Amino acid sequence: MSVGGGDVTFGEALVQELLWVHDVIRRDLAIVRELAASVVEGAQPDSVRAQLAELEARGPLWQLKFGCLQYCRHVHGHHGFEDGGWFPGLRAANPALGPVVDRLEAEHRTVSDLLDAVEAAAAALGAEGSGDTREHLRAALEELADVLLAHLAFEEEAI
């Protein structure tokens, strides 16, 4: 099978796609974390909206219309695809990866809970959000980042 001008197996193409999506997730997570930090520091809503509009305009995989909420929905969807579509094929192609896939599925449940926490914190953040509300969002994003980045690294290394 020819992918991107070279001969690669279907499995290699899937891994290349996975790495690309993970790079997009990492890039946009870094931007959203920076925005959260600026919100905690009292950034003006117009400034944050402008930065989100810039992110939305250049996002190759999805449009980040609603900042954290859209980001979380994307990661939920990506993990849903892996759980329902990609992992069953991976198990069939290489049964020895069963324990790895089991761990990844368990990590997806943990990440899902953290995404829900970020979504709740983002939804609670209004135009006049208090410092506590802003800090709660930043802390939720930091916890998500710690777990999600470790998960992505493990998935890439193990698969």
Side-chain angles (χ1 to χ4, degrees), residues 79 82 104 107-108 111 147-156:
H79 283 171
E82 285 182 340
L104 293 172
E107 288 179 0
H108 282 181
V111 168
V147 173
L148 182 56
L149 293 174
H151 165 75
L152 297 176
F154 172 74
E155 186 171 45
E156 292 166 1

Side-chain angles (χ1 to χ4, degrees), residues 11-88:
E12 289 170 334
L14 285 176
V15 171
Q16 289 173 4
E17 177 73 10
L18 175 75
L19 295 174
W20 178 79
V21 170
H22 284 185
D23 286 345
V24 170
I25 289 171
R26 283 186 182 98
R27 183 204 67 209
D28 288 352
L29 177 60
I31 293 168
V32 172
R33 288 171 74 191
E34 289 173 16
L35 286 173
S38 70
V39 166
V40 169
E41 295 168 5
Q44 295 300 313
D46 288 344
S47 171
V48 173
R49 277 193 280 278
Q51 291 177 52
L52 287 172
E54 182 181 329
L55 180 60
E56 178 180 320
R58 68 172 192 225
L61 187 60
W62 74 93
Q63 292 187 344
L64 190 54
K65 286 184 166 183
F66 301 94
C68 295
L69 296 173
Q70 283 299 93
Y71 178 80
C72 292
R73 288 182 191 123
H74 169 72
V75 177
H76 275 304
H78 169 69
H79 283 171
F81 167 76
E82 285 182 340
D83 291 343
W86 201 62
F87 288 162

